Amino acid sequence: MYQHKQFALFIFVILSWIASFVGLAWYLIGADMPLMVFAAILVLVGFLFHGLTIKVDDSQISWGFGPGVFGDKLPLVDIIEAKAVENSFRHGIGLRITHDGWVYTVSGFSAVQLTLKDGSQYRLGTNDQDGLLAALAGKISEPVAEPTTV
């Protein structure tokens, strides 16, 4: 079984930057309710998106942010291709739908693209492309060649 967690360094930097302003405001104006709610939201976002964990076992691949939220799982028999790709700035961080399919990423540009039998695609951000591809090797179904007509 393969399991790897990539920590969200970029998200930590952004949240720390915002938290510094919250701390300054807290110091200057005191702890008022809106400021405390905003600080609590920052802590919640940090907890929910502190990393992306990808797991591969004999029958499925699954992934989720932080404690396992906002993820998905796919049976390996539905996957016809897994390849290493590089995301661009337009793919962003977090989870989103793009013209490349669903994108799940927390940091960096390296990802593994999964193509399903129905043509849909998922991009899973990882700093261990080789390890994830090795875990998937031999477990996904090969694409069936279309019959050619003469």
Side-chain angles (χ1 to χ4, degrees):
M1 178 169 158
Y2 171 86
Q3 180 172 334
H4 180 72
K5 182 174 212 161
Q6 179 182 15
F7 289 98
L9 299 177
F10 182 74
I11 292 173
F12 286 146
V13 168
I14 297 297
L15 289 178
S16 297
W17 181 69
I18 295 170
S20 70
F21 289 106
V22 171
L24 180 63
W26 198 306
Y27 175 75
L28 293 175
I29 63 174
D32 63 345
M33 186 55 71
L35 193 58
M36 290 189 293
V37 169
F38 187 71
I41 290 171
L42 284 180
V43 170
L44 180 65
V45 168
F47 174 70
L48 291 178
F49 292 97
H50 72 269
L52 177 65
T53 302
I54 301 173
K55 299 177 187 176
V56 178
D57 61 24
D58 291 332
S59 62
Q60 70 181 5
I61 181 171
S62 60
W63 60 91
F65 290 100
V69 297
F70 304 116
D72 205 352
K73 57 185 166 186
L74 298 171
L76 295 176
V77 296
D78 290 346
I79 302 171
I80 60 170
E81 182 184 35
K83 66 180 180 179
V85 294
E86 292 294 317
N87 288 335
S88 65
F89 282 108
R90 67 178 164 77
H91 289 103
I93 58 171
L95 68 131
R96 64 188 67 233
I97 185 80
T98 68
H99 72 284
D100 293 320
W102 282 99
V103 177
Y104 295 81
T105 186
V106 292
S107 185
F109 297 105
S110 299
V112 170
Q113 181 173 296
L114 306 174
T115 304
L116 305 183
K117 290 178 182 176
D118 65 4
S120 58
Q121 295 178 333
Y122 292 84
R123 283 184 175 222
L124 305 178
T126 181
N127 57 355
D128 184 27
Q129 281 180 326
D130 294 335
L132 180 54
L133 290 172
L136 291 170
K139 294 183 180 180
I140 60 175
S141 59
E142 297 296 321
V144 177
E146 295 292 325
T148 58
T149 55
V150 180

